[in-house]
Amino acid sequence: MQHIKTYHSHCLRTAPDQPEIIIEGPVSGERLQQLTMHSKLDAFRRPKEQLEALIEIAELPEGRIILARDGVTIVGYVTFHYPDEIERWSQGHMQDLIELGAIEVADEYRSIGLGKKMIRLAFEGEQLENVICFTTEYYWHWDLETSKLTVWEYRQ
């Protein structure tokens, strides 16, 4: 199976006096090693450990990391990889089934559409046209406190 990884990037400036945010990817493990994680990217692991996990994913043949960065600080990311072996989705051993595994944006960078922009960039240039991409995005992974949503509102 050929996993097409065509690098794309976009700049986002929310206001003239604000720093430029770069949305880019897929990025290599080597590139990720040059960056740092924002201290609030801690939904799944501590930031340093999450960066190590992102590097591992980026180095997988099917893995891809799309990120948003402010300078050399990663402020958001999206991961793509084969489904985890413990998930039912992996039982078919389909080479063309890719999971959009995680989406995370640091608190102070939310509400400017980074999640949506990172996902759009991931699909640019038809680079995922030869795979089935799915995501589960379980609500218990969502930051309902900061987003001020209740589980009931989310399910609606």
Side-chain angles (χ1 to χ4, degrees):
M1 166 94 208
Q2 181 186 11
H3 293 283
I4 302 164
K5 296 183 184 183
T6 306
Y7 176 84
H8 294 280
S9 70
H10 297 285
C11 299
L12 172 67
R13 190 178 303 270
T14 58
D17 61 335
Q18 294 296 314
E20 194 172 64
I21 297 170
I22 306 297
I23 301 158
E24 63 182 337
V27 294
S28 67
E30 184 178 317
R31 175 67 179 129
L32 286 165
Q33 290 173 6
Q34 300 167 359
L35 305 173
T36 59
M37 293 288 276
H38 190 284
S39 64
K40 296 294 183 181
L41 291 176
D42 58 2
F44 301 101
R45 298 174 185 84
R46 288 181 223 158
K48 184 179 178 187
E49 294 167 356
Q50 186 61 32
L51 180 57
E52 292 169 5
L54 295 181
I55 291 167
E56 285 180 28
I57 293 168
E59 292 175 347
L60 296 170
E62 81 284 1
R64 64 183 65 227
I65 303 296
I66 309 299
L67 59 85
R69 65 179 173 80
D70 184 345
V72 295
T73 303
I74 299 169
V75 298
Y77 63 87
V78 178
T79 67
F80 292 84
H81 47 74
Y82 283 140
D84 191 296
E85 291 177 7
I86 64 168
E87 295 286 342
R88 183 170 180 230
W89 300 100
S90 69
Q91 292 176 3
H93 304 287
M94 296 172 60
Q95 295 294 305
D96 59 350
L97 184 66
I98 300 294
E99 180 177 4
L100 188 167
I103 305 169
E104 188 176 10
V105 176
D107 295 356
E108 66 246 41
Y109 290 86
R110 293 183 182 172
S111 301
I112 58 172
L114 286 181
K116 184 185 339 182
K117 289 173 180 16
M118 289 186 291
I119 291 171
R120 272 198 192 129
L121 186 134
F123 287 86
E124 264 187 47
E126 300 183 357
Q127 60 185 315
L128 289 171
E129 289 296 309
N130 65 338
V131 299
I132 300 165
C133 184
F134 79 98
T135 187
T136 52
E137 299 308 325
Y138 301 117
Y139 74 86
W140 53 85
H141 288 164
W142 287 53
D143 180 0
L144 298 176
E145 289 178 22
T146 304
S147 68
K148 297 183 177 49
L149 288 175
T150 65
V151 172
W152 182 85
E153 288 171 319
Y154 169 71
R155 289 181 177 173
Q156 296 304 313

